């Protein structure tokens, strides 16, 4: 059954947790906006896909996770990495292709992984991630750790066989697995309103015997609540859930995308729907946090991202000898 | 139309685009399908303008589902269409691997020749565009290894224009490899078959004649080899460059005629040398040209590693230096 999560309670969110959530979203936004600017200078190699606009999804889900838990990500993975605690400076260096990066400059934007943080990896293959979490969730179940695994994937990946196989497996084995379909409206240039045969991706949940939920992806509290329910159920042995998060990405499919396929829906989203603006309006209205609190976080994050760029630019490149390493454990 | 007006200066990308257009005009059963190929015209703009002119039933946008796309093309082909599938990037083909190897390649044999599968799978391949793994791969050997598939690779705009049409006319399935880093290179293309008959699809071409060493290449490395031959000529070495064009079947006559003349051969491709096309070429050449060889057949190619991030591309891709080093090594025997 598909249900729309409409309840907007903040129960369980202390001022500290609210600050943490805001800091996480602000970090992602600052990181992505800065990359958008820096990519235009030509100094960043490879392809870069930005997560700006989608921060409430990664944050709303990952604020429930701890070191037992794992996530699998997508080509648009910076937000998931940050939300799962991957070091921001290491990520920036990685995207610059530097030896000091999270993957020593050998992964780049699309392949950041940090197993120490339970981050299984961004993924250049659409639909590559969902099957992986069946494995980590099965391991958690067998070992009884109480851990859950989350696969973030896009509307494009929701049409890949790998994603559908993974959802079926997760249900068959009653795994502590959460499938988060991030529907930003377009798989590259292809509109999800056309490419997804059901009205909503969440409708597919019933076909795999799991609950399906639709949430407003611009609303941190909505995502947080829906994810909280699903994750608590999974930890308690209640099996998988499909959560469809709907929003708009603020930038093109990749940096450099002309975006001829969509009208300018971004300006309105930024103005009226933006997750950071809404979060700020809400917590200052209720008095849970002050504007000064939030401004201080903005300043702190601005500084962090600035330092990460300066350090990434100054960091050494990998050497030619590094080209041939890390293919096998032993040669 | 005079001979003058039938020659156009085209990029390799435009050659493909015009070749596809011509094939669609010539045969109403030709349909194109793939991710973003219709409204957008493909991420490399190879199908640009075709949906507008031929309609949505002939240039079909698909959801993101490579296995399903190729399977659908099989069904269309079985019903008399000539589908041309675009795989967006080389590394995105693997979800469709099962359909290609288990269905596309086998239906003709499985039906004892009753069924034919006239379909083309276009694969932009190779590196050099600043991308990463999944977007820069050379996976042609997987498919050349699979009986039942024809595999070709184009290297210039004229071949792009003609070979795509020939591949579409083939009653067997054709894997059609396009060197994406050469998409924007221009050359004059004779568009009139009567003025200059195109080479058959599965024939290799001696692109540059020489006497000392034969370079065997295809796709993006043909240009690399032509540049190497130019550089070697300045040092008094005469290199012959053979553009294989067809990887399966191989045009062994053209290859062995060249190697018997020069007595030396170097294979050059971006794919890893380990079990790459060069391995098969080396085996065939040593068998067919054994008494003519002055040196072992040498192979230049990618290292046996996953395609590296773009900072490493220059070190990874076989460039002039590695080709010329191999030439020197061959000549030193």
């Amino acid at each position: 059954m598909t249900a729309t999560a409409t309840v907007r309670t903040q129960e369980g969110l202390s001022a500290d947790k609210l600050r943490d959530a805001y800091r996480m979203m602000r970090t992602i936004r600052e990181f992505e906006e800065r990359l958008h600017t820096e990519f235009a200078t030509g100094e960043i190699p490879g392809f870069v896909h930005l997560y700006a606009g989608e921060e409430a999804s990664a944050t709303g889900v990952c604020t429930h996770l701890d070191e037992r838990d794992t996530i699998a990500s997508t080509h648009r993975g910076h937000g998931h990495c940050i939300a799962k605690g991957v070091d921001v400076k290491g990520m920036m260096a990685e995207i610059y292709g530097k030896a000091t990066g999270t993957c020593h400059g050998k992964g780049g934007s699309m392949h950041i992984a940090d197993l120490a943080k339970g981050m299984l990896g961004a993924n250049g293959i659409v639909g590559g991630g969902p099957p992986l979490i069946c494995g980590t969730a099965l391991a958690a179940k067998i070992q009884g750790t109480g851990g859950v695994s989350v696969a973030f994937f896009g509307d494009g990946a929701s049409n890949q066989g790998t994603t559908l196989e993974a959802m079926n497996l997760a249900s068959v084995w009653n795994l502590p697995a959460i499938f988060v379909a991030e529907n930003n409206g377009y798989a590259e240039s292809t509109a999800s309103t056309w490419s997804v045969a059901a009205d909503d991706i969440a409708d597919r949940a019933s076909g795999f015997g799991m609950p399906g939920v639709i949430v407003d992806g611009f609303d941190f509290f909505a995502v947080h609540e829906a994810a909280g329910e699903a994750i608590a159920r999974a930890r308690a042995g209640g099996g998988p859930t499909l959560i469809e998060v709907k929003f708009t990405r603020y930038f093109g499919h990749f940096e450099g995308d002309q975006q001829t396929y969509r009208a300018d829906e971004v300006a309105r989203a930024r103005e009226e729907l933006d997750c950071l603006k809404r979060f700020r309006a809400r917590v200052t209205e209720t008095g849970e946090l002050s504007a000064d609190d939030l401004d201080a976080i903005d300043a702190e994050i601005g500084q962090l991202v600035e330092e990460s760029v300066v350090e990434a630019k100054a960091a050494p490149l990998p050497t030619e000898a590094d080209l041939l390493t890390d293919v096998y454990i032993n040669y | 139309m005079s001979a003058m007006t039938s020659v156009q200066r085209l990029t390799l990308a435009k050659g493909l685009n015009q070749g596809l257009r011509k094939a669609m005009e010539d045969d109403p059963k030709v349909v194109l399908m793939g991710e973003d190929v219709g409204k957008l015209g493909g991420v490399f703009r190879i199908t640009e303008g075709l949906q507008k002119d031929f309609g949505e039933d002939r240039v079909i946008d698909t959801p993101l589902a490579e296995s399903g796309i190729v399977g659908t093309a099989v069904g269309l082909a079985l019903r008399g269409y000539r589908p041309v599938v675009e795989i967006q990037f080389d590394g995105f083909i693997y979800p469709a691997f099962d359909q290609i190897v288990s269905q596309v390649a086998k239906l003709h044999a499985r039906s004892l020749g009753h069924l034919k599968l006239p379909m083309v799978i276009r694969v932009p391949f190779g590196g050099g565009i600043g991308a990463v793994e999944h977007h820069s791969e050379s996976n042609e050997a997987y498919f050349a290894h699979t009986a039942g598939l024809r595999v070709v690779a184009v290297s210039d705009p004229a071949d792009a224009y003609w070979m795509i049409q020939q591949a579409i006319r083939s009653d067997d399935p054709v894997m059609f490899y396009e060197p994406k880093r050469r998409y924007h290179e221009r050359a004059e293309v004779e568009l009139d078959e009567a003025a200059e008959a195109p080479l058959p699809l599965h024939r290799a071409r001696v692109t540059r004649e020489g006497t000392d060493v034969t370079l065997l290449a295809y796709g993006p490395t043909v240009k690399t080899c032509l540049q190497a031959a130019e550089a070697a000529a300045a040092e008094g070495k005469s290199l012959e460059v053979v553009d294989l064009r067809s990887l399966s079947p191989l045009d062994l006559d053209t290859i062995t005629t060249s190697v018997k003349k020069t007595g030396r051969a170097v294979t050059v491709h971006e794919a890893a040398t380990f079990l790459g096309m060069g391995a098969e070429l080396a085996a065939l050449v040593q068998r067919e040209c054994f008494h003519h060889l002055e040196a072992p057949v040498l192979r230049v190619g990618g290292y046996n590693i996953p395609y590296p991030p773009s900072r490493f591309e220059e070190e990874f891709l076989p460039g002039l230096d590695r080709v010329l080093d191999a030439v020197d090594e061959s000549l030193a025997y």
Side-chain angles (χ1 to χ4, degrees):
Chain A
M1 278 290 126
T2 301
T4 303
T6 50
V7 188
R8 300 292 157 82
T9 62
Q10 296 173 53
E11 283 169 271
L13 281 176
S14 63
D16 276 348
K17 292 230 170 189
L18 287 172
R19 265 190 218 97
D20 288 346
Y22 183 79
R23 181 180 290 107
M24 200 181 274
M25 289 201 291
R26 174 54 70 191
T27 308
I28 299 170
R29 176 66 56 83
E30 187 75 19
F31 192 87
E32 299 295 65
E33 296 273 11
R34 184 62 182 266
L35 274 177
H36 176 69
T37 311
E38 295 294 335
F39 190 84
T41 69
E43 224 180 310
I44 295 173
F47 293 170
V48 171
H49 307 77
L50 299 178
Y51 194 71
E54 309 188 10
E55 294 85 349
S57 174
T59 307
V61 173
C62 290
T63 43
H64 293 288
L65 303 182
D66 59 40
E67 68 280 355
R68 296 170 295 174
D69 306 322
T70 53
I71 67 168
S73 173
T74 71
H75 55 285
R76 199 175 304 290
H78 305 162
H80 307 132
C81 292
I82 291 171
K84 195 64 174 69
V86 180
D87 177 54
V88 168
K89 290 183 173 180
M91 285 177 61
M92 190 63 86
E94 184 61 34
I95 292 165
Y96 271 84
K98 298 302 182 74
T100 54
T102 314
C103 307
H104 309 291
K106 295 179 80 168
S109 166
M110 250 193 292
H111 298 96
I112 300 175
D114 189 349
L115 288 185
K117 299 287 184 187
M119 167 61 193
L120 302 175
N123 205 314
I125 291 299
V126 173
L132 308 184
I133 69 150
C134 290
T136 52
L138 184 57
K141 185 184 172 186
I142 292 168
Q143 293 165 0
T145 64
V148 300
S149 295
V150 180
F152 292 96
F153 58 97
D155 42 286
S158 79
N159 297 323
Q160 279 281 18
T162 47
T163 303
L164 305 174
E165 289 174 33
M167 288 202 286
N168 189 57
L169 289 172
S171 223
V172 166
W173 289 325
N174 195 40
L175 297 178
I178 312 295
F179 297 89
V180 181
E182 298 187 317
N183 185 349
N184 64 23
Y186 294 91
E188 293 210 18
S189 75
T190 301
S192 64
T193 48
W194 173 80
S195 71
V196 176
D199 288 341
D200 298 293
I201 295 169
D203 290 346
R204 294 176 176 174
S206 62
F208 296 110
M210 67 176 78
V213 184
I214 298 168
V215 293
D216 173 358
F218 288 112
D219 183 349
F220 163 79
F221 296 100
V223 178
H224 185 263
E225 168 141 356
E229 279 179 29
I231 290 167
R233 183 166 52 240
R235 289 200 202 283
T241 300
L242 171 60
I243 301 172
E244 179 178 4
V245 183
K246 290 178 187 282
F247 39 33
T248 302
R249 58 169 144 80
Y250 284 0
F251 297 114
H253 166 64
F254 60 98
E255 286 308 277
D257 183 0
Q258 304 285 319
Q259 303 188 64
T260 51
Y261 49 84
R262 67 173 178 175
D264 188 16
E265 59 208 47
V266 174
R268 191 183 79 87
R270 276 186 184 269
E271 194 54 40
E272 298 172 20
L273 305 172
D274 185 72
C275 61
L276 281 153
K277 281 187 183 164
R278 279 166 71 176
F279 187 99
R280 176 181 278 262
R282 176 172 171 137
V283 296
T284 52
E285 199 175 299
T286 60
E288 291 165 283
L289 295 178
S290 69
D292 285 351
D293 269 339
L294 301 173
D295 291 346
I297 292 171
D298 291 351
E300 170 203 330
I301 298 308
Q303 181 66 24
L304 172 67
V305 171
E306 168 65 18
E307 284 171 16
S308 74
V309 170
V310 170
E311 289 173 23
K313 286 182 176 180
L317 287 167
T319 65
E320 195 175 333
D322 295 324
L323 181 62
L324 303 181
T325 60
D326 303 324
V327 182
Y328 301 100
I329 292 168
N330 295 303
Y331 284 84
Chain B
M1 195 186 285
S2 75
M4 288 301 288
T5 55
S6 66
V7 174
Q8 283 187 25
R9 197 167 166 76
L10 301 177
T11 61
L12 196 155
K14 195 68 184 167
L16 289 167
N17 179 267
Q18 292 212 21
L20 288 167
R21 175 178 292 279
K22 182 75 167 45
M24 295 183 78
E25 285 167 357
D26 290 349
D27 183 349
K29 293 293 193 184
V30 175
V31 295
L32 314 186
M33 53 193 301
E35 296 155 4
D36 305 291
V37 300
K39 279 190 198 67
L40 188 73
V43 296
F44 294 109
R45 304 296 188 266
I46 305 302
T47 53
E48 189 154 55
L50 298 178
Q51 189 184 61
K52 188 173 140 286
D53 294 343
F54 293 95
E56 293 184 5
D57 286 343
R58 294 193 64 196
V59 182
I60 304 166
D61 271 318
T62 68
L64 214 160
E66 293 82 8
S67 182
I69 296 165
V70 171
T72 303
V74 171
L76 282 167
L78 292 175
R79 289 315 235 171
Y81 287 89
R82 289 183 180 272
V84 182
V85 170
E86 175 176 299
I87 299 294
Q88 194 163 77
F89 280 89
D90 36 62
F92 298 177
I93 203 168
Y94 306 116
F97 196 80
D98 170 63
Q99 287 289 317
I100 296 170
V101 171
S102 302
Q103 310 300 333
V104 175
K106 303 221 170 35
L107 272 175
H108 185 69
R110 197 187 292 151
S111 67
L112 304 179
H114 289 301
L115 300 178
K116 61 177 187 176
L117 227 50
M119 59 185 280
V120 176
I121 299 176
R122 292 181 38 239
V123 188
F125 84 120
I129 64 159
V132 288
E133 61 170 308
H134 312 317
H135 297 73
S136 302
E137 297 177 14
S138 299
N139 46 31
E140 61 276 11
Y142 294 146
F143 300 105
H145 184 68
T146 302
L149 301 174
R150 294 177 182 268
V151 183
V152 302
V154 296
S155 66
D156 64 35
D159 275 355
Y161 178 76
W162 287 111
M163 286 172 74
I164 189 65
Q165 295 181 63
Q166 293 166 327
I168 291 169
R169 280 199 294 267
S170 167
D171 283 338
D172 286 320
V174 179
M175 303 295 297
F176 193 91
Y177 277 83
E178 305 167 3
K180 65 173 92 80
R181 72 171 147 131
R182 308 295 187 206
Y183 270 149
H184 303 296
E185 306 209 345
R186 284 173 197 280
E188 293 198 340
V189 180
E190 172 57 73
L191 303 179
D192 183 0
E193 233 166 324
E196 185 188 330
L199 207 57
L201 182 61
H202 296 293
R203 192 75 55 77
R205 175 188 287 122
V206 177
T207 303
R208 177 186 173 114
E209 291 193 9
T211 53
D212 295 339
V213 180
T214 297
L215 300 180
L216 300 171
Y218 55 90
T221 55
V222 172
K223 182 175 177 182
T224 312
C225 288
L226 289 170
Q227 291 168 332
E230 197 65 37
E235 298 175 2
K237 299 165 199 160
S238 170
L239 309 187
E240 180 147 305
V241 179
V242 177
D243 179 355
L244 299 180
R245 299 172 79 249
S246 178
L247 308 184
S248 178
L250 280 166
D251 176 6
L252 206 51
D253 280 351
T254 302
I255 295 166
T256 56
T257 300
S258 174
V259 178
K260 283 175 181 172
K261 180 177 74 175
T262 62
R264 294 178 164 86
V266 174
T267 69
V268 185
H269 50 59
E270 288 186 18
T273 50
F274 184 74
L275 288 174
M277 284 303 301
E280 182 64 27
L281 289 164
L284 289 169
V285 166
Q286 68 87 16
R287 173 71 180 79
E288 298 297 321
C289 309
F290 189 69
H291 295 293
H292 296 82
L293 285 174
E294 306 286 343
V297 180
L298 300 178
R299 294 176 291 158
V300 177
Y303 301 116
N304 197 18
I305 60 172
Y307 198 88
S310 56
R311 295 257 194 224
F312 283 114
E313 273 195 310
E314 245 171 78
E315 284 77 29
F316 177 83
L317 292 171
L320 276 194
D321 287 350
R322 266 150 67 189
V323 174
L324 292 171
D325 284 352
V327 164
D328 288 346
E329 187 184 341
S330 178
L331 286 168
Y333 274 91

